[in-house]
């Protein structure tokens, strides 16, 4: 006698419980959770369950959402926070039961969303991991989506890195301006100095340093679209006599003798094995007493694997790798720098991501028109998930200030930090 298969709602009752912030409705007419929940998850088709059961880690949820087989009505961040909290509490027996109930009819190969990249080894057609060609293709895939799409998500600052909020109620634009200014102050910039900004994005740091500190700046980015937008912005601001942005690999910069180097959000892309050589190269570009400010996402400890996996690797930052802040400082110390200041800004990145999520939600129709619904769903999911990761201390954001010490140990640093907050 065959057993009666439980409804989708009954299965999620076992997983999520009947209370909480989220309710579930399913294609078979069943439901789970409180009917008046502020966030509702709609399981639109059996395809969603097939993705959840057949995919490792977070790929199942990502594939279901990006493909539109699963819809979230309400705040995506709230839904993820509730789901993570509930899943963390699942016992081994709960997980075995879930696999047994869903597995037989849903363990099957299903087509992947077109936004998903192949696995790491299948991407070797573009060259080995962190070869120049493969790095260029990875950057282009993420950043050359549409400059207008990024304008809608990032706001007027066009800054795609962690902001620094001077006050809790500061706007995102104020916080991004404050971030660039903090970097300038940490680097001790003064009129007439020369700055190299590697991984310069849309040129926010380049323009700020040239406009407000009177320095000569070269910025480089592997994204052609970023370089075109940034150079046009520099001309519009009347800064072309002292600032430029190049579409170039940072390793192709031939100039040297800079007073300072800023690296804001590039270290995540270069690969853990390349980090020592990266800092040696940047040191070679600096004068004695020149400073480096390295700003990047870091792992919370050295036991976390460097390589990104699952959803982030396949959909967002292919070949991305993170190090712990201790690994960053050690690499700097061993390759030309004395470390003088370290700061963790993870709460600021959570607030930054929350602001980007609001921007995307408010501009959803136009953003989807620019990049497509699947790509819009990828960005919505990754930004909400990363916000949660920073809040849960699964990620950190580290600023590390180093100096290339001159002859006789002369670092040219103030006795106490003079850059304020």
């Amino acid at each position: 006698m065959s057993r009666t298969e439980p409804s989708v709602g009954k299965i999620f009752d076992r997983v999520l419980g009947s209370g909480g912030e989220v309710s579930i409705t399913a294609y078979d007419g069943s439901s789970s959770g409180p009917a008046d929940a502020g966030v509702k998850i709609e399981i639109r088709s059996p395809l969603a369950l097939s993705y959840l059961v057949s995919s490792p880690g977070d790929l199942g949820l990502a594939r279901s959402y990006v493909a539109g087989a699963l819809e979230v009505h309400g705040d995506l961040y709230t839904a993820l926070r509730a789901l993570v909290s509930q899943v963390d509490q699942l016992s081994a027996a709960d997980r075995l039961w879930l696999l047994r109930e869903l597995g037989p009819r849903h363990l099957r190969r299903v087509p992947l969303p077109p936004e998903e990249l192949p696995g790491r080894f299948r991407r070797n057609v573009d060259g080995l991991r962190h070869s120049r060609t493969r790095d260029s293709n990875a950057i282009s895939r993420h950043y050359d989506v549409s400059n207008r799409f990024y304008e809608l998500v990032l706001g007027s600052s066009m800054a795609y890195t962690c902001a620094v909020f001077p006050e809790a109620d500061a706007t995102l634009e104020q916080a991004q301006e404050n971030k660039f200014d903090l970097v300038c102050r940490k680097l001790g910039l003064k009129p007439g100095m020369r700055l190299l900004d590697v991984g310069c994005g849309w040129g926010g740091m380049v323009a700020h340093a040239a406009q407000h500190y009177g320095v000569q700046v070269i910025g480089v980015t592997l994204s052609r679209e970023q370089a075109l937008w940034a150079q046009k912005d520099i001309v519009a601001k009347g800064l072309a006599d002292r600032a430029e942005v190049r579409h170039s690999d940072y390793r192709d910069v031939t100039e040297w003798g800079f007073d300072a180097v800023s690296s804001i959000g590039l270290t995540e892309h270069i690969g853990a094995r390349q980090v020592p050589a990266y800092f040696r190269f940047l040191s070679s570009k600096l004068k004695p007493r020149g400073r480096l400010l390295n700003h990047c996402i870091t792992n919370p400890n050295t036991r976390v694997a460097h390589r990104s996996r699952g959803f982030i690797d396949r959909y967002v930052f292919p070949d991305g790798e993170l190090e712990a802040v201790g690994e960053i400082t050690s690499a700097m110390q061993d390759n030309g720098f004395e470390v003088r200041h370290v700061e963790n800004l993870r709460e600021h990145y959570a607030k930054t991501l929350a602001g980007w999520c609001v921007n995307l939600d408010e501009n959803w129709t136009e953003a989807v028109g620019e990049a497509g619904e699947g790509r819009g769903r990828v960005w919505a999911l990754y930004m909400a998930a990363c916000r949660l990761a920073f809040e849960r201390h699964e990620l950190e954001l580290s600023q590390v200030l180093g100096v290339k010490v001159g002859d006789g140990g002369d670092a040219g640093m103030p006795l106490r930090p003079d850059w304020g907050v």
Side-chain angles (χ1 to χ4, degrees), residues 103-349:
R105 61 192 186 281
H106 293 291
L107 274 175
R108 58 191 178 94
R109 295 180 64 88
V110 289
L112 302 180
E115 292 77 16
E116 181 170 329
L117 275 177
R120 287 177 181 269
F121 291 111
R122 291 178 60 194
R123 297 202 293 267
N124 285 345
V125 65
D126 291 333
L128 295 178
R129 189 162 43 90
H130 298 301
S131 65
R132 290 189 180 222
T133 299
R134 186 157 156 177
D135 278 352
S136 179
N137 290 341
I139 292 298
S140 178
R141 177 179 174 82
H142 186 86
Y143 294 100
D144 292 343
V145 173
S146 156
N147 282 332
R148 179 56 183 160
F149 175 82
Y150 279 107
E151 288 173 353
L152 295 167
V153 174
L154 304 180
S156 60
S157 69
M158 284 298 277
Y160 196 23
T161 49
C162 175
V164 179
F165 289 79
E167 305 290 343
D169 59 353
T171 67
L172 182 58
E173 286 70 27
Q174 290 169 335
Q176 291 291 13
E177 183 87 357
N178 186 56
K179 182 266 299 295
F180 289 133
D181 207 66
L182 176 63
V183 173
C184 290
R185 297 196 307 271
K186 285 184 174 181
L187 289 173
L189 297 184
K190 294 178 176 59
M193 285 185 169
R194 297 172 63 229
L195 169 69
L196 173 63
D197 185 35
V198 292
C200 67
W202 288 272
M205 177 65 188
V206 172
H208 187 93
Q211 185 171 9
H212 297 285
Y213 286 81
V215 298
Q216 297 285 329
V217 195
I218 295 174
V220 292
T221 172
L222 274 178
S223 166
R224 184 180 301 276
E225 291 300 312
Q226 285 182 334
L228 290 171
W229 192 100
Q231 195 59 38
K232 183 178 179 180
D233 183 63
I234 285 169
V235 171
K237 290 176 177 175
L239 301 173
D241 61 328
R242 55 186 182 275
E244 68 168 306
V245 169
R246 301 173 183 173
H247 174 225
S248 169
D249 191 297
Y250 74 89
R251 290 164 289 195
D252 292 332
V253 174
T254 57
E255 293 88 344
W256 58 281
F258 291 94
D259 298 282
V261 174
S262 51
S263 172
I264 305 175
L266 178 57
T267 318
E268 300 92 328
H269 296 290
I270 65 174
R273 291 185 178 180
Q274 283 71 42
V275 167
Y278 175 67
F279 288 125
R280 281 198 303 274
F281 178 85
L282 297 184
S283 177
S284 74
K285 295 296 170 182
L286 282 167
K287 294 178 179 178
R289 304 186 1 166
R291 300 183 195 180
L292 164 70
L293 191 286
N294 194 78
H295 168 122
C296 68
I297 301 170
T298 48
N299 284 327
N301 58 65
T302 58
R303 298 184 298 276
V304 178
H306 291 139
R307 298 184 189 181
S308 61
R309 301 182 186 278
F311 168 61
I312 293 294
D313 181 62
R314 297 288 189 95
Y315 285 88
V316 186
F317 292 113
D319 295 332
E321 298 184 30
L322 302 180
E323 299 78 42
V325 66
E327 293 172 295
I328 295 291
T329 57
S330 292
M332 288 176 64
Q333 287 177 319
D334 292 343
N335 293 280
F337 292 97
E338 179 183 32
V339 173
R340 301 300 298 243
H341 190 267
V342 180
E343 186 172 8
N344 186 344
L345 297 167
R346 71 176 178 88
E347 292 89 354
H348 292 261
Y349 216 159

Side-chain angles (χ1 to χ4, degrees), residues 12-75:
F12 277 94
D13 270 342
R14 175 72 177 262
V15 176
L16 302 178
S18 58
E21 301 175 83
V22 175
S23 67
I24 308 285
T25 59
Y27 58 86
D28 63 356
S30 63
S31 62
S32 173
D36 61 349
V39 177
K40 302 180 187 298
I41 296 176
E42 179 187 357
I43 309 296
R44 289 178 163 176
S45 78
L47 180 62
L49 300 182
S50 295
Y51 279 136
L52 290 170
V53 173
S54 63
S55 308
D58 57 6
L59 272 175
L61 175 62
R63 288 166 173 166
S64 300
Y65 181 70
V66 173
L70 180 153
E71 185 59 275
V72 176
H73 302 283
D75 183 48

